[in-house]
Amino acid sequence: MHRLNLIAPLLAVTVVAACGQDPAAADQRAGDAPGAAAAQADGDAPTPLDDEEVVRRVFLAAADGDDGALPEQLTPRISAVRVGVVALHDQLLDRRRPTPPRAALLDALDALADRAGGVDAGALAPLVAAWRDWSDDQVATETELARLLSIANAAFALDRLPGADGLADIGARADEFGAPPLGSGAGAGIAFVRYAALAVGEEGADVTTAQTAALSKAREAFEELGWPGGLALMAEPLANALLAKDPAGMRGAILWSTAADAYRASGDLLRSGMMYVRRAGRMWRGQLDADAARRAALMAETGRARVAESGAGGRELFEACYVHAALLQAVGRHEKAITAARAALAVGGAGGGQGGDAAERADAARIEALSNLRLGRFDECLAVAARALDAAAAAEGELPGEKQMIVPALEEIAGHACLRLGRYDDAARWFAAVAAFHEREAGKPWASAEQRDAARLAGARALAKSGDPAGARAAVGEVLASGPKGAAQLALAADVLLDAGFTDDADEIVAEGEQALGAERAALFGELRWRIAAARGDLDAARTAFRGAIDFVTGGDTTKKSLSASRIFESWARVEEAASDPVRAAELFQTAANHLVDIGVDHELRRLLAEVKRLRD
């Protein structure tokens, strides 16, 4: 097959080939686009700076022979060397009109190298000096290599892995032009393309000797430029694609770590940090066991620290704090989750994309409210939820489609806070609002009959707590009569009926659920079984149910630490205390506490140890 036929599929992915296109910078441009458009319409408005904007200003400075068009200070988003390489390649490939002479462009880049701020700025001036010394033949070589590199970068910018044959052919075609000149950004990029062809094309999941050697050669090429971050800009999207294909694969993991380290070596803490934040975010949105959640939280912590150290604010800092808060909450570190959520909300203005859009800011407030609820700070929880709901109402037009779900989520949290505060009428009102949302939006992807029924059952609990057991029973009956229910809904219905004092009714519902689940999973109803037994004064049956539930959640391994097991032991302790056996109750509280040691829920551990002390004193 002719080489052009191999490359053609890569060309087809984009109308204008990108040169060193940075996905993180593309995200930043998307966030900054409204401000940039306004700035171009109104010359007095400041334009948010990213690499692309600085390239544009370099061309203006080169065209006018006046470096006044250049920014006085570079932000932490700006990679000076990337700006230089992209500007040089755009000039060589005649991508921007008018195209200034190369000498004028290099003068503008020299002026840029003198500007303060940014990352890797010290490496730009030596490169510009090297570019000035190129012969006409070397300029021609760089031009052809840049043309080939732009094709590869277009393939790397896709959400899927590029074709190995096309990448290998780009490397082979590059050989036809001879050795790249000193200071060649395209030559370093082509070295990475050769590595990528092996990483994508070789069979199996192992990292081969050939891959290791090719990656080392690419890394050395970028380091010789004084720009290790250049490797990272190419490696990051390929690493993400490899990890998407094989999340546990060593090829993706090694390349990902190489990219993060290369950004940091260039002084680009922002991009390095955002790599950690976004990988943690992808893990958070997937299926996490407890260990994976803790690893993701640590990854988010590293990313947030690097973003903060970079001095960046706005969108990136908000995202770093937001993802960190969500993962801290997922692993039960509620104090730290509240701090991180507040840090996210402190970024930017309430209405600005610079600090998250309306839905994202409302969700950060949801994290803060929910962690306050988990910590028993019900007044604070309610205050945070109410403020967020007011802000969401003011930004109603900014919550289209699925983003509307944040409103009922906040209303549900407010309802549970009111339940714990004894404000039962307010709780019923919040839960009714949640149910009404799901009823109104029925048939849409973000609406759920299960969540509607859960809200109605929570409203029934409010009736039971307020002294209207008959009303609670009737409300539960209406939910159950509306159609078949799953195990979770049946369990919630039985729980409400127990609160209302209808033990026999709860027993019937639990029996129905156990029959539907089968013997193997019937232990899911264990908590209700011990509550029913305890309500009937049958302590032996309650203790049997407790033991069965413990075996179910621990798999029979009594040394396995578990939040669920801790909660069961705590409930068991309260039953024994109510049965006037404080010694056994204290032992069970201690066992519940032991299950929480070193798993990141210190506030719960302290609470349980206080119960032990209370009973033993």
Side-chain angles (χ1 to χ4, degrees), residues 124-160:
L124 180 57
L127 282 177
V128 175
W131 298 340
R132 287 188 188 278
D133 289 341
W134 285 349
S135 67
D136 290 344
D137 287 344
Q138 288 174 319
V139 170
T141 296
E142 183 71 6
T143 301
E144 294 307 318
L145 294 179
R147 199 183 313 278
L148 290 171
L149 181 60
S150 70
I151 298 170
N153 279 326
F156 292 141
L158 297 175
D159 290 334
R160 60 179 183 274

PDB file of all heavy atoms in Angstrom, residues 124-160:
ATOM      1  N   LEU A 124      12.918  29.152  26.055  1.00  0.00           N
ATOM      2  CA  LEU A 124      12.529  29.666  24.738  1.00  0.00           C
ATOM      3  C   LEU A 124      13.674  30.403  24.046  1.00  0.00           C
ATOM      4  O   LEU A 124      13.915  30.195  22.849  1.00  0.00           O
ATOM      5  CB  LEU A 124      11.308  30.578  24.870  1.00  0.00           C
ATOM      6  CG  LEU A 124      10.795  31.189  23.564  1.00  0.00           C
ATOM      7  CD1 LEU A 124      10.465  30.107  22.559  1.00  0.00           C
ATOM      8  CD2 LEU A 124       9.570  32.073  23.833  1.00  0.00           C
ATOM      9  N   ALA A 125      14.389  31.255  24.766  1.00  0.00           N
ATOM     10  CA  ALA A 125      15.435  32.064  24.125  1.00  0.00           C
ATOM     11  C   ALA A 125      16.509  31.206  23.460  1.00  0.00           C
ATOM     12  O   ALA A 125      16.887  31.474  22.305  1.00  0.00           O
ATOM     13  CB  ALA A 125      16.045  33.024  25.140  1.00  0.00           C
ATOM     14  N   PRO A 126      17.048  30.156  24.103  1.00  0.00           N
ATOM     15  CA  PRO A 126      18.030  29.321  23.407  1.00  0.00           C
ATOM     16  C   PRO A 126      17.478  28.655  22.147  1.00  0.00           C
ATOM     17  O   PRO A 126      18.200  28.492  21.163  1.00  0.00           O
ATOM     18  CB  PRO A 126      18.410  28.267  24.461  1.00  0.00           C
ATOM     19  CG  PRO A 126      18.059  28.886  25.775  1.00  0.00           C
ATOM     20  CD  PRO A 126      16.868  29.734  25.509  1.00  0.00           C
ATOM     21  N   LEU A 127      16.200  28.272  22.186  1.00  0.00           N
ATOM     22  CA  LEU A 127      15.605  27.668  20.999  1.00  0.00           C
ATOM     23  C   LEU A 127      15.501  28.669  19.859  1.00  0.00           C
ATOM     24  O   LEU A 127      15.798  28.346  18.697  1.00  0.00           O
ATOM     25  CB  LEU A 127      14.215  27.108  21.334  1.00  0.00           C
ATOM     26  CG  LEU A 127      14.191  25.773  22.068  1.00  0.00           C
ATOM     27  CD1 LEU A 127      12.760  25.379  22.400  1.00  0.00           C
ATOM     28  CD2 LEU A 127      14.839  24.679  21.212  1.00  0.00           C
ATOM     29  N   VAL A 128      15.063  29.879  20.175  1.00  0.00           N
ATOM     30  CA  VAL A 128      14.955  30.906  19.134  1.00  0.00           C
ATOM     31  C   VAL A 128      16.322  31.158  18.504  1.00  0.00           C
ATOM     32  O   VAL A 128      16.454  31.312  17.275  1.00  0.00           O
ATOM     33  CB  VAL A 128      14.354  32.205  19.707  1.00  0.00           C
ATOM     34  CG1 VAL A 128      14.365  33.316  18.648  1.00  0.00           C
ATOM     35  CG2 VAL A 128      12.924  31.968  20.187  1.00  0.00           C
ATOM     36  N   ALA A 129      17.365  31.178  19.318  1.00  0.00           N
ATOM     37  CA  ALA A 129      18.718  31.356  18.794  1.00  0.00           C
ATOM     38  C   ALA A 129      19.094  30.227  17.845  1.00  0.00           C
ATOM     39  O   ALA A 129      19.714  30.453  16.790  1.00  0.00           O
ATOM     40  CB  ALA A 129      19.715  31.446  19.948  1.00  0.00           C
ATOM     41  N   ALA A 130      18.729  28.993  18.225  1.00  0.00           N
ATOM     42  CA  ALA A 130      19.019  27.849  17.347  1.00  0.00           C
ATOM     43  C   ALA A 130      18.244  27.965  16.033  1.00  0.00           C
ATOM     44  O   ALA A 130      18.784  27.677  14.958  1.00  0.00           O
ATOM     45  CB  ALA A 130      18.669  26.547  18.067  1.00  0.00           C
ATOM     46  N   TRP A 131      16.984  28.409  16.113  1.00  0.00           N
ATOM     47  CA  TRP A 131      16.172  28.527  14.896  1.00  0.00           C
ATOM     48  C   TRP A 131      16.740  29.585  13.951  1.00  0.00           C
ATOM     49  O   TRP A 131      16.641  29.455  12.735  1.00  0.00           O
ATOM     50  CB  TRP A 131      14.726  28.871  15.272  1.00  0.00           C
ATOM     51  CG  TRP A 131      14.056  27.801  16.104  1.00  0.00           C
ATOM     52  CD1 TRP A 131      14.429  26.489  16.225  1.00  0.00           C
ATOM     53  CD2 TRP A 131      12.920  27.960  16.955  1.00  0.00           C
ATOM     54  NE1 TRP A 131      13.600  25.822  17.087  1.00  0.00           N
ATOM     55  CE2 TRP A 131      12.653  26.702  17.558  1.00  0.00           C
ATOM     56  CE3 TRP A 131      12.099  29.039  17.279  1.00  0.00           C
ATOM     57  CZ2 TRP A 131      11.615  26.496  18.434  1.00  0.00           C
ATOM     58  CZ3 TRP A 131      11.049  28.835  18.156  1.00  0.00           C
ATOM     59  CH2 TRP A 131      10.804  27.582  18.737  1.00  0.00           C
ATOM     60  N   ARG A 132      17.331  30.629  14.504  1.00  0.00           N
ATOM     61  CA  ARG A 132      17.918  31.673  13.660  1.00  0.00           C
ATOM     62  C   ARG A 132      19.099  31.139  12.843  1.00  0.00           C
ATOM     63  O   ARG A 132      19.398  31.643  11.752  1.00  0.00           O
ATOM     64  CB  ARG A 132      18.393  32.843  14.522  1.00  0.00           C
ATOM     65  CG  ARG A 132      17.295  33.718  15.090  1.00  0.00           C
ATOM     66  CD  ARG A 132      17.896  34.942  15.767  1.00  0.00           C
ATOM     67  NE  ARG A 132      16.890  35.716  16.478  1.00  0.00           N
ATOM     68  CZ  ARG A 132      16.084  36.605  15.886  1.00  0.00           C
ATOM     69  NH1 ARG A 132      16.182  36.797  14.576  1.00  0.00           N
ATOM     70  NH2 ARG A 132      15.195  37.281  16.597  1.00  0.00           N
ATOM     71  N   ASP A 133      19.778  30.126  13.373  1.00  0.00           N
ATOM     72  CA  ASP A 133      20.980  29.613  12.720  1.00  0.00           C
ATOM     73  C   ASP A 133      20.686  28.564  11.662  1.00  0.00           C
ATOM     74  O   ASP A 133      21.632  28.063  11.020  1.00  0.00           O
ATOM     75  CB  ASP A 133      21.922  29.005  13.772  1.00  0.00           C
ATOM     76  CG  ASP A 133      22.570  30.066  14.648  1.00  0.00           C
ATOM     77  OD1 ASP A 133      22.589  31.243  14.233  1.00  0.00           O
ATOM     78  OD2 ASP A 133      23.033  29.720  15.757  1.00  0.00           O
ATOM     79  N   TRP A 134      19.400  28.195  11.485  1.00  0.00           N
ATOM     80  CA  TRP A 134      19.098  27.153  10.497  1.00  0.00           C
ATOM     81  C   TRP A 134      19.418  27.626   9.085  1.00  0.00           C
ATOM     82  O   TRP A 134      19.147  28.783   8.708  1.00  0.00           O
ATOM     83  CB  TRP A 134      17.618  26.780  10.563  1.00  0.00           C
ATOM     84  CG  TRP A 134      17.254  25.921  11.748  1.00  0.00           C
ATOM     85  CD1 TRP A 134      18.106  25.298  12.615  1.00  0.00           C
ATOM     86  CD2 TRP A 134      15.939  25.595  12.174  1.00  0.00           C
ATOM     87  NE1 TRP A 134      17.406  24.608  13.569  1.00  0.00           N
ATOM     88  CE2 TRP A 134      16.059  24.768  13.325  1.00  0.00           C
ATOM     89  CE3 TRP A 134      14.665  25.916  11.718  1.00  0.00           C
ATOM     90  CZ2 TRP A 134      14.956  24.265  14.003  1.00  0.00           C
ATOM     91  CZ3 TRP A 134      13.565  25.412  12.391  1.00  0.00           C
ATOM     92  CH2 TRP A 134      13.709  24.594  13.525  1.00  0.00           C
ATOM     93  N   SER A 135      19.939  26.699   8.293  1.00  0.00           N
ATOM     94  CA  SER A 135      20.113  26.957   6.862  1.00  0.00           C
ATOM     95  C   SER A 135      18.769  26.795   6.149  1.00  0.00           C
ATOM     96  O   SER A 135      17.794  26.312   6.737  1.00  0.00           O
ATOM     97  CB  SER A 135      21.123  25.964   6.283  1.00  0.00           C
ATOM     98  OG  SER A 135      20.572  24.642   6.322  1.00  0.00           O
ATOM     99  N   ASP A 136      18.749  27.167   4.873  1.00  0.00           N
ATOM    100  CA  ASP A 136      17.507  26.999   4.109  1.00  0.00           C
ATOM    101  C   ASP A 136      17.099  25.535   4.041  1.00  0.00           C
ATOM    102  O   ASP A 136      15.907  25.202   4.119  1.00  0.00           O
ATOM    103  CB  ASP A 136      17.683  27.562   2.694  1.00  0.00           C
ATOM    104  CG  ASP A 136      17.776  29.078   2.680  1.00  0.00           C
ATOM    105  OD1 ASP A 136      17.408  29.694   3.698  1.00  0.00           O
ATOM    106  OD2 ASP A 136      18.202  29.641   1.653  1.00  0.00           O
ATOM    107  N   ASP A 137      18.079  24.645   3.898  1.00  0.00           N
ATOM    108  CA  ASP A 137      17.754  23.214   3.851  1.00  0.00           C
ATOM    109  C   ASP A 137      17.176  22.737   5.190  1.00  0.00           C
ATOM    110  O   ASP A 137      16.242  21.922   5.219  1.00  0.00           O
ATOM    111  CB  ASP A 137      19.005  22.400   3.517  1.00  0.00           C
ATOM    112  CG  ASP A 137      19.418  22.531   2.063  1.00  0.00           C
ATOM    113  OD1 ASP A 137      18.571  22.997   1.257  1.00  0.00           O
ATOM    114  OD2 ASP A 137      20.562  22.177   1.749  1.00  0.00           O
ATOM    115  N   GLN A 138      17.713  23.219   6.287  1.00  0.00           N
ATOM    116  CA  GLN A 138      17.194  22.828   7.593  1.00  0.00           C
ATOM    117  C   GLN A 138      15.785  23.373   7.821  1.00  0.00           C
ATOM    118  O   GLN A 138      14.934  22.699   8.412  1.00  0.00           O
ATOM    119  CB  GLN A 138      18.148  23.311   8.692  1.00  0.00           C
ATOM    120  CG  GLN A 138      19.455  22.529   8.740  1.00  0.00           C
ATOM    121  CD  GLN A 138      20.429  23.112   9.734  1.00  0.00           C
ATOM    122  OE1 GLN A 138      20.570  24.341   9.833  1.00  0.00           O
ATOM    123  NE2 GLN A 138      21.129  22.252  10.472  1.00  0.00           N
ATOM    124  N   VAL A 139      15.529  24.593   7.351  1.00  0.00           N
ATOM    125  CA  VAL A 139      14.172  25.142   7.433  1.00  0.00           C
ATOM    126  C   VAL A 139      13.208  24.266   6.643  1.00  0.00           C
ATOM    127  O   VAL A 139      12.087  23.967   7.089  1.00  0.00           O
ATOM    128  CB  VAL A 139      14.137  26.591   6.922  1.00  0.00           C
ATOM    129  CG1 VAL A 139      12.693  27.079   6.774  1.00  0.00           C
ATOM    130  CG2 VAL A 139      14.908  27.510   7.855  1.00  0.00           C
ATOM    131  N   ALA A 140      13.650  23.830   5.447  1.00  0.00           N
ATOM    132  CA  ALA A 140      12.800  22.968   4.627  1.00  0.00           C
ATOM    133  C   ALA A 140      12.531  21.635   5.318  1.00  0.00           C
ATOM    134  O   ALA A 140      11.404  21.111   5.285  1.00  0.00           O
ATOM    135  CB  ALA A 140      13.461  22.738   3.263  1.00  0.00           C
ATOM    136  N   THR A 141      13.544  21.084   5.981  1.00  0.00           N
ATOM    137  CA  THR A 141      13.362  19.822   6.715  1.00  0.00           C
ATOM    138  C   THR A 141      12.361  19.994   7.851  1.00  0.00           C
ATOM    139  O   THR A 141      11.445  19.172   8.030  1.00  0.00           O
ATOM    140  CB  THR A 141      14.712  19.334   7.278  1.00  0.00           C
ATOM    141  OG1 THR A 141      15.594  19.039   6.197  1.00  0.00           O
ATOM    142  CG2 THR A 141      14.527  18.093   8.142  1.00  0.00           C
ATOM    143  N   GLU A 142      12.523  21.071   8.627  1.00  0.00           N
ATOM    144  CA  GLU A 142      11.591  21.306   9.733  1.00  0.00           C
ATOM    145  C   GLU A 142      10.167  21.485   9.222  1.00  0.00           C
ATOM    146  O   GLU A 142       9.200  21.010   9.840  1.00  0.00           O
ATOM    147  CB  GLU A 142      12.022  22.533  10.538  1.00  0.00           C
ATOM    148  CG  GLU A 142      11.152  22.831  11.758  1.00  0.00           C
ATOM    149  CD  GLU A 142      11.327  21.838  12.888  1.00  0.00           C
ATOM    150  OE1 GLU A 142      12.224  20.957  12.788  1.00  0.00           O
ATOM    151  OE2 GLU A 142      10.580  21.931  13.879  1.00  0.00           O
ATOM    152  N   THR A 143      10.027  22.145   8.071  1.00  0.00           N
ATOM    153  CA  THR A 143       8.692  22.361   7.497  1.00  0.00           C
ATOM    154  C   THR A 143       8.017  21.026   7.188  1.00  0.00           C
ATOM    155  O   THR A 143       6.843  20.812   7.525  1.00  0.00           O
ATOM    156  CB  THR A 143       8.790  23.216   6.226  1.00  0.00           C
ATOM    157  OG1 THR A 143       9.402  24.468   6.547  1.00  0.00           O
ATOM    158  CG2 THR A 143       7.413  23.466   5.621  1.00  0.00           C
ATOM    159  N   GLU A 144       8.748  20.112   6.563  1.00  0.00           N
ATOM    160  CA  GLU A 144       8.143  18.822   6.205  1.00  0.00           C
ATOM    161  C   GLU A 144       7.875  17.969   7.438  1.00  0.00           C
ATOM    162  O   GLU A 144       6.852  17.283   7.515  1.00  0.00           O
ATOM    163  CB  GLU A 144       9.057  18.076   5.224  1.00  0.00           C
ATOM    164  CG  GLU A 144       9.196  18.760   3.877  1.00  0.00           C
ATOM    165  CD  GLU A 144       7.852  19.072   3.243  1.00  0.00           C
ATOM    166  OE1 GLU A 144       6.947  18.211   3.304  1.00  0.00           O
ATOM    167  OE2 GLU A 144       7.695  20.187   2.701  1.00  0.00           O
ATOM    168  N   LEU A 145       8.779  18.007   8.399  1.00  0.00           N
ATOM    169  CA  LEU A 145       8.542  17.259   9.638  1.00  0.00           C
ATOM    170  C   LEU A 145       7.338  17.826  10.392  1.00  0.00           C
ATOM    171  O   LEU A 145       6.539  17.074  10.967  1.00  0.00           O
ATOM    172  CB  LEU A 145       9.787  17.305  10.533  1.00  0.00           C
ATOM    173  CG  LEU A 145      11.032  16.587  10.008  1.00  0.00           C
ATOM    174  CD1 LEU A 145      12.188  16.746  10.993  1.00  0.00           C
ATOM    175  CD2 LEU A 145      10.755  15.119   9.744  1.00  0.00           C
ATOM    176  N   ALA A 146       7.198  19.150  10.401  1.00  0.00           N
ATOM    177  CA  ALA A 146       6.050  19.773  11.067  1.00  0.00           C
ATOM    178  C   ALA A 146       4.749  19.369  10.382  1.00  0.00           C
ATOM    179  O   ALA A 146       3.719  19.164  11.038  1.00  0.00           O
ATOM    180  CB  ALA A 146       6.202  21.289  11.056  1.00  0.00           C
ATOM    181  N   ARG A 147       4.796  19.238   9.057  1.00  0.00           N
ATOM    182  CA  ARG A 147       3.591  18.827   8.326  1.00  0.00           C
ATOM    183  C   ARG A 147       3.181  17.409   8.728  1.00  0.00           C
ATOM    184  O   ARG A 147       2.002  17.120   8.960  1.00  0.00           O
ATOM    185  CB  ARG A 147       3.853  18.907   6.824  1.00  0.00           C
ATOM    186  CG  ARG A 147       2.584  18.960   5.981  1.00  0.00           C
ATOM    187  CD  ARG A 147       2.903  18.966   4.494  1.00  0.00           C
ATOM    188  NE  ARG A 147       3.952  19.902   4.118  1.00  0.00           N
ATOM    189  CZ  ARG A 147       3.751  21.207   3.914  1.00  0.00           C
ATOM    190  NH1 ARG A 147       2.541  21.712   4.049  1.00  0.00           N
ATOM    191  NH2 ARG A 147       4.758  21.993   3.561  1.00  0.00           N
ATOM    192  N   LEU A 148       4.154  16.517   8.816  1.00  0.00           N
ATOM    193  CA  LEU A 148       3.859  15.146   9.239  1.00  0.00           C
ATOM    194  C   LEU A 148       3.390  15.104  10.694  1.00  0.00           C
ATOM    195  O   LEU A 148       2.454  14.369  11.049  1.00  0.00           O
ATOM    196  CB  LEU A 148       5.111  14.277   9.077  1.00  0.00           C
ATOM    197  CG  LEU A 148       5.541  13.968   7.634  1.00  0.00           C
ATOM    198  CD1 LEU A 148       6.902  13.290   7.630  1.00  0.00           C
ATOM    199  CD2 LEU A 148       4.504  13.090   6.948  1.00  0.00           C
ATOM    200  N   LEU A 149       4.043  15.897  11.550  1.00  0.00           N
ATOM    201  CA  LEU A 149       3.668  15.903  12.972  1.00  0.00           C
ATOM    202  C   LEU A 149       2.235  16.381  13.168  1.00  0.00           C
ATOM    203  O   LEU A 149       1.516  15.874  14.043  1.00  0.00           O
ATOM    204  CB  LEU A 149       4.627  16.787  13.758  1.00  0.00           C
ATOM    205  CG  LEU A 149       4.385  16.876  15.272  1.00  0.00           C
ATOM    206  CD1 LEU A 149       4.491  15.505  15.926  1.00  0.00           C
ATOM    207  CD2 LEU A 149       5.359  17.851  15.918  1.00  0.00           C
ATOM    208  N   SER A 150       1.815  17.325  12.352  1.00  0.00           N
ATOM    209  CA  SER A 150       0.451  17.833  12.505  1.00  0.00           C
ATOM    210  C   SER A 150      -0.577  16.746  12.222  1.00  0.00           C
ATOM    211  O   SER A 150      -1.646  16.704  12.835  1.00  0.00           O
ATOM    212  CB  SER A 150       0.226  19.038  11.585  1.00  0.00           C
ATOM    213  OG  SER A 150       0.195  18.643  10.226  1.00  0.00           O
ATOM    214  N   ILE A 151      -0.255  15.835  11.293  1.00  0.00           N
ATOM    215  CA  ILE A 151      -1.155  14.716  11.001  1.00  0.00           C
ATOM    216  C   ILE A 151      -1.246  13.792  12.215  1.00  0.00           C
ATOM    217  O   ILE A 151      -2.334  13.360  12.618  1.00  0.00           O
ATOM    218  CB  ILE A 151      -0.659  13.951   9.764  1.00  0.00           C
ATOM    219  CG1 ILE A 151      -0.655  14.859   8.539  1.00  0.00           C
ATOM    220  CG2 ILE A 151      -1.538  12.728   9.509  1.00  0.00           C
ATOM    221  CD1 ILE A 151       0.044  14.255   7.327  1.00  0.00           C
ATOM    222  N   ALA A 152      -0.097  13.485  12.811  1.00  0.00           N
ATOM    223  CA  ALA A 152      -0.101  12.622  13.996  1.00  0.00           C
ATOM    224  C   ALA A 152      -0.851  13.264  15.145  1.00  0.00           C
ATOM    225  O   ALA A 152      -1.631  12.605  15.847  1.00  0.00           O
ATOM    226  CB  ALA A 152       1.337  12.316  14.405  1.00  0.00           C
ATOM    227  N   ASN A 153      -0.632  14.561  15.358  1.00  0.00           N
ATOM    228  CA  ASN A 153      -1.306  15.231  16.471  1.00  0.00           C
ATOM    229  C   ASN A 153      -2.814  15.250  16.294  1.00  0.00           C
ATOM    230  O   ASN A 153      -3.563  15.203  17.278  1.00  0.00           O
ATOM    231  CB  ASN A 153      -0.776  16.663  16.610  1.00  0.00           C
ATOM    232  CG  ASN A 153       0.538  16.704  17.368  1.00  0.00           C
ATOM    233  OD1 ASN A 153       0.751  15.923  18.269  1.00  0.00           O
ATOM    234  ND2 ASN A 153       1.419  17.606  16.979  1.00  0.00           N
ATOM    235  N   ALA A 154      -3.262  15.332  15.046  1.00  0.00           N
ATOM    236  CA  ALA A 154      -4.702  15.260  14.801  1.00  0.00           C
ATOM    237  C   ALA A 154      -5.246  13.907  15.240  1.00  0.00           C
ATOM    238  O   ALA A 154      -6.352  13.809  15.793  1.00  0.00           O
ATOM    239  CB  ALA A 154      -4.992  15.496  13.315  1.00  0.00           C
ATOM    240  N   ALA A 155      -4.465  12.848  15.009  1.00  0.00           N
ATOM    241  CA  ALA A 155      -4.900  11.510  15.437  1.00  0.00           C
ATOM    242  C   ALA A 155      -4.878  11.382  16.956  1.00  0.00           C
ATOM    243  O   ALA A 155      -5.778  10.786  17.561  1.00  0.00           O
ATOM    244  CB  ALA A 155      -4.003  10.449  14.802  1.00  0.00           C
ATOM    245  N   PHE A 156      -3.850  11.940  17.607  1.00  0.00           N
ATOM    246  CA  PHE A 156      -3.771  11.867  19.067  1.00  0.00           C
ATOM    247  C   PHE A 156      -4.921  12.629  19.730  1.00  0.00           C
ATOM    248  O   PHE A 156      -5.285  12.332  20.864  1.00  0.00           O
ATOM    249  CB  PHE A 156      -2.445  12.455  19.563  1.00  0.00           C
ATOM    250  CG  PHE A 156      -1.240  11.645  19.201  1.00  0.00           C
ATOM    251  CD1 PHE A 156      -0.061  12.261  18.825  1.00  0.00           C
ATOM    252  CD2 PHE A 156      -1.279  10.260  19.233  1.00  0.00           C
ATOM    253  CE1 PHE A 156       1.062  11.521  18.491  1.00  0.00           C
ATOM    254  CE2 PHE A 156      -0.167   9.504  18.891  1.00  0.00           C
ATOM    255  CZ  PHE A 156       1.008  10.131  18.518  1.00  0.00           C
ATOM    256  N   ALA A 157      -5.468  13.635  19.053  1.00  0.00           N
ATOM    257  CA  ALA A 157      -6.524  14.451  19.641  1.00  0.00           C
ATOM    258  C   ALA A 157      -7.855  13.725  19.688  1.00  0.00           C
ATOM    259  O   ALA A 157      -8.800  14.184  20.325  1.00  0.00           O
ATOM    260  CB  ALA A 157      -6.676  15.762  18.863  1.00  0.00           C
ATOM    261  N   LEU A 158      -7.969  12.568  19.005  1.00  0.00           N
ATOM    262  CA  LEU A 158      -9.215  11.812  19.016  1.00  0.00           C
ATOM    263  C   LEU A 158      -9.426  11.131  20.360  1.00  0.00           C
ATOM    264  O   LEU A 158      -8.502  10.963  21.145  1.00  0.00           O
ATOM    265  CB  LEU A 158      -9.193  10.752  17.909  1.00  0.00           C
ATOM    266  CG  LEU A 158      -9.115  11.261  16.468  1.00  0.00           C
ATOM    267  CD1 LEU A 158      -8.981  10.091  15.507  1.00  0.00           C
ATOM    268  CD2 LEU A 158     -10.338  12.097  16.131  1.00  0.00           C
ATOM    269  N   ASP A 159     -10.670  10.713  20.611  1.00  0.00           N
ATOM    270  CA  ASP A 159     -11.000  10.019  21.857  1.00  0.00           C
ATOM    271  C   ASP A 159     -10.686   8.533  21.792  1.00  0.00           C
ATOM    272  O   ASP A 159     -10.926   7.801  22.745  1.00  0.00           O
ATOM    273  CB  ASP A 159     -12.476  10.205  22.193  1.00  0.00           C
ATOM    274  CG  ASP A 159     -12.801  11.630  22.598  1.00  0.00           C
ATOM    275  OD1 ASP A 159     -11.882  12.308  23.086  1.00  0.00           O
ATOM    276  OD2 ASP A 159     -13.948  12.054  22.410  1.00  0.00           O
ATOM    277  N   ARG A 160     -10.184   8.073  20.660  1.00  0.00           N
ATOM    278  CA  ARG A 160      -9.839   6.654  20.526  1.00  0.00           C
ATOM    279  C   ARG A 160      -8.378   6.544  20.107  1.00  0.00           C
ATOM    280  O   ARG A 160      -7.741   7.527  19.722  1.00  0.00           O
ATOM    281  CB  ARG A 160     -10.730   5.991  19.482  1.00  0.00           C
ATOM    282  CG  ARG A 160     -10.621   6.593  18.098  1.00  0.00           C
ATOM    283  CD  ARG A 160     -11.520   5.864  17.101  1.00  0.00           C
ATOM    284  NE  ARG A 160     -11.379   6.388  15.751  1.00  0.00           N
ATOM    285  CZ  ARG A 160     -12.040   7.418  15.261  1.00  0.00           C
ATOM    286  NH1 ARG A 160     -12.888   8.063  16.044  1.00  0.00           N
ATOM    287  NH2 ARG A 160     -11.859   7.822  14.018  1.00  0.00           N
TER     288      ARG A 160
END
